[in-house]
C-alpha cells in the first residue's frame, strides 16, 4: 500500500524539480544571476520597454519561421513511408504525425511518437513495436542528416566562431555512429535471435518482441533502403535549420543562414539529456546562449528564443489540433494516463505474449 503513495510523491517531486529548473533556465534568457553581489539577485539583460516595442519588427522573419516549422509535419509524413513495412496513404500518415506533434507539444508526458505509432497499429494493422521501430529509424536518420548539415555549416562564415561547439559535436558524432551500429545489428540479428529462442522454447515474450523489432527496423537491413530513407530525412531537418537560419539572418547576425543547423543541433543535444524534466527551460537556455555566442545582442537573443518557441508550438499545435478534430479523437484520450495511453500499454503487453509468425 505504500508503493503507490511513494510513486505519487516521487512524481510530484519530479514535477516540482522540472518547474523550478524550467523557470531558472527560461529566466537565463532575460536575466543574469547576481548571487552574493550588491543589488538584486536577478539583473535584466536589457530594457524591457525597448524589447516589447521592437517585437513587431521581428515579423519579417517570424512568419517564414512559422511556415517552415509547419512544413516539418508533411515532410515527416513523406519520410515515414520509407521505413514502414507496408504502404500507408499519405493523408493517413500526415494526420498521425500531426496528432503526435500536438500530443508532444500541448500535453504532458511527451507521448507524441508513442501515440502516433499506436494509432497506426490500430488503423493499418501494423504491430505497435514494428511501427515504433520505423519511427526510431526515422529519428536516427534525422539525427544523421542534422549532423551532416552541422558539419557543412562549419564551412560557412562561422567556421572560427563555431569552434567552441566542436567538443559537443564530437560527442554527438560518436553517439550517432553508436546508434547507427546498434540499429544495423538489431535489424540483422533480431530475427535470428527470436528464432533461436523459439527453438529453445525460452523467453517467449522476448522472442516475440525481437521478431517485431526486426520488422520495424527492416529498412536498416539494406544499404539501399537506408540511403533512400536518409535522403527523405533531409527535408524534416533542413526545414527547421533554414527556419532558424532565417531568424538569425533577420536579427542581423552575419552569415546567420549557415548557423541555423548549429542552433538546431544545440537544441537537439540539450533536450536529449536523459532524466531532466525541463524541456522548455533547456530550449530557452540553449537558443538564447547559441544566439549570443553567434553575435546576437542579449535583447535579440531573448526575442529569438521566445519567438522561435512560440512559432514552433503554435504551428505544430494548431495543425495537430485540426487533425485531432478531423479524426474525431477526444483530447482527454491523448493525455498522459488517459484511456488511449492505457490502451497502448495494454496493446504492447498483448503483443509481447502473442505468438508471432516468423518469415521462412
Amino acid at each position: 500500500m505504500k508503493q503507490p503513495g511513494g510513486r505519487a510523491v516521487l512524481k510530484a517531486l519530479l514535477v516540482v524539480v522540472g518547474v523550478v529548473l524550467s523557470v531558472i533556465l527560461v529566466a537565463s534568457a532575460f536575466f543574469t544571476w547576481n548571487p552574493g553581489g550588491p543589488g538584486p539577485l536577478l539583473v535584466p539583460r536589457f530594457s524591457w520597454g525597448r524589447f516589447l516595442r521592437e517585437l513587431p519588427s521581428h515579423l519579417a522573419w517570424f512568419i517564414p519561421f512559422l511556415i517552415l516549422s509547419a512544413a516539418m509535419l508533411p515532410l515527416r509524413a513523406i519520410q515515414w513511408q520509407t521505413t514502414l513495412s507496408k504502404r500507408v496513404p499519405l493523408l493517413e500518415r500526415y494526420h498521425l504525425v500531426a496528432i503526435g506533434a500536438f500530443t508532444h507539444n500541448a500535453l504532458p508526458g511527451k507521448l507524441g511518437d508513442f501515440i502516433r505509432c499506436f494509432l497506426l497499429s490500430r488503423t493499418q494493422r501494423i504491430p505497435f513495436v514494428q511501427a515504433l521501430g520505423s519511427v526510431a529509424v526515422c529519428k536516427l536518420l534525422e539525427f544523421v542528416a542534422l549532423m551532416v548539415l552541422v558539419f557543412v555549416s562549419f564551412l560557412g562564415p562561422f567556421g572560427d566562431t563555431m569552434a567552441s561547439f566542436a567538443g559537443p559535436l564530437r560527442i554527438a558524432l560518436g553517439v550517432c555512429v553508436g546508434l547507427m551500429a546498434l540499429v544495423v545489428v538489431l535489424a540483422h540479428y533480431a530475427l535470428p535471435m527470436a528464432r533461436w529462442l523459439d527453438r529453445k522454447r525460452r523467453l517467449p515474450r522476448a522472442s516475440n518482441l525481437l521478431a517485431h523489432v526486426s520488422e520495424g527496423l527492416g529498412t536498416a537491413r539494406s544499404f539501399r533502403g537506408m540511403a533512400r530513407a536518409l535522403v527523405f530525412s533531409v527535408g524534416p531537418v533542413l526545414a527547421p535549420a533554414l527556419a532558424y537560419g532565417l531568424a538569425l539572418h533577420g536579427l542581423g547576425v552575419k552569415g546567420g543562414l549557415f548557423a541555423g543547423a548549429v542552433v538546431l543541433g544545440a537544441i537537439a543535444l540539450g533536450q536529449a539529456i536523459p532524466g531532466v524534466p525541463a524541456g522548455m527551460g533547456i530550449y530557452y537556455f540553449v537558443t538564447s546562449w547559441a544566439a549570443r555566442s553567434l553575435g546576437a545582442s542579449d535583447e535579440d537573443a531573448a526575442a529569438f528564443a521566445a519567438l522561435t518557441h512560440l512559432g514552433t508550438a503554435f504551428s505544430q499545435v494548431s495543425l495537430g489540433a485540426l487533425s485531432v478534430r478531423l479524426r474525431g479523437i477526444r483530447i482527454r484520450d491523448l493525455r498522459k494516463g488517459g484511456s488511449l495511453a492505457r490502451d497502448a500499454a495494454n496493446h504492447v503487453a498483448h503483443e509481447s505474449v502473442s505468438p508471432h509468425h516468423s518469415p521462412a
Side-chain angles (χ1 to χ4, degrees):
M1 296 298 292
K2 291 182 180 181
Q3 286 185 347
R7 285 196 296 268
V9 170
L10 180 59
K11 185 176 179 180
L13 182 61
L14 288 174
V15 169
V16 171
V17 170
V19 170
V20 171
L21 277 176
S22 289
V23 169
I24 293 172
L25 292 172
V26 170
S28 70
F30 305 94
F31 299 91
T32 58
W33 294 91
N34 185 32
L41 177 63
L42 293 177
V43 180
R45 290 183 179 272
F46 43 77
S47 165
W48 279 92
R50 188 173 70 248
F51 174 79
L52 295 174
R53 285 193 303 271
E54 293 186 1
L55 276 180
S57 67
H58 297 296
L59 284 175
W61 62 261
F62 181 67
I63 293 175
F65 184 92
L66 276 176
I67 295 170
L68 287 167
S69 181
M72 289 174 61
L73 301 184
L75 288 171
R76 276 185 170 154
I78 294 170
Q79 172 212 27
W80 197 7
Q81 183 59 69
T82 64
T83 63
L84 287 170
S85 58
K86 61 180 283 189
R87 193 76 189 168
V88 176
L90 176 60
L91 187 60
E92 175 73 6
R93 281 179 276 133
Y94 168 77
H95 281 312
L96 298 185
V97 169
I99 291 168
F102 173 84
T103 306
H104 182 84
N105 287 282
L107 300 175
K110 304 300 182 184
L111 292 172
D113 291 328
F114 186 84
I115 292 297
R116 71 152 146 154
C117 291
F118 176 62
L119 291 174
L120 181 75
S121 72
R122 286 177 54 166
T123 61
Q124 301 298 314
R125 304 298 181 186
I126 296 176
F128 174 81
V129 177
Q130 288 185 28
L132 197 60
S134 70
V135 171
V137 174
C138 285
K139 294 292 185 183
L140 175 60
L141 293 178
E142 282 187 25
F143 187 41
V144 173
L146 175 58
M147 290 299 102
V148 172
L149 287 178
V150 168
F151 281 100
V152 168
S153 69
F154 273 75
L155 304 177
F158 277 113
D160 294 334
T161 304
M162 292 191 295
S164 59
F165 295 89
L169 287 175
R170 289 192 193 99
I171 296 173
L173 181 61
V175 171
C176 182
V177 171
L179 289 174
M180 284 286 288
L182 176 62
V183 166
V184 170
V185 168
L186 282 175
H188 281 87
Y189 296 106
L191 186 57
M193 288 172 64
R195 289 171 172 168
W196 182 83
L197 289 172
D198 267 353
R199 288 195 300 269
K200 298 294 183 179
R201 300 185 180 278
R202 295 178 181 175
L203 303 174
R205 293 188 180 187
S207 172
N208 195 60
L209 181 64
L210 286 169
H212 287 313
V213 166
S214 175
E215 288 296 317
L217 301 180
T219 303
R221 287 196 291 272
S222 161
F223 176 81
R224 181 179 178 182
M226 284 287 277
R228 180 171 179 269
L230 179 59
V231 169
F232 281 92
S233 299
V234 172
V237 174
L238 185 59
L242 183 58
Y244 285 106
L246 285 172
L248 290 169
H249 179 75
L251 295 177
V253 175
K254 185 179 178 181
L257 283 173
F258 289 87
V262 176
V263 174
L264 187 61
I267 294 168
L269 290 174
Q271 295 191 331
I273 300 173
V276 180
M280 186 174 75
I282 291 173
Y283 181 92
Y284 273 78
F285 174 79
V286 169
T287 49
S288 60
W289 167 76
R292 289 193 301 270
S293 299
L294 295 168
S297 65
D298 286 351
E299 186 176 346
D300 283 344
F304 176 76
L307 292 176
T308 56
H309 178 258
L310 175 64
T312 301
F314 176 78
S315 61
Q316 300 199 11
V317 168
S318 57
L319 291 175
L322 179 61
S323 290
V324 168
R325 181 174 180 82
L326 290 174
R327 294 298 299 270
I329 298 175
R330 296 174 299 181
I331 298 297
R332 67 172 178 266
D333 287 337
L334 293 173
R335 291 197 198 105
K336 185 179 181 181
S339 62
L340 195 58
R342 286 196 300 271
D343 286 347
N346 292 334
H347 193 66
V348 175
H350 175 72
E351 283 189 359
S352 69
V353 297
S354 298
H356 63 268
H357 300 284
S358 301

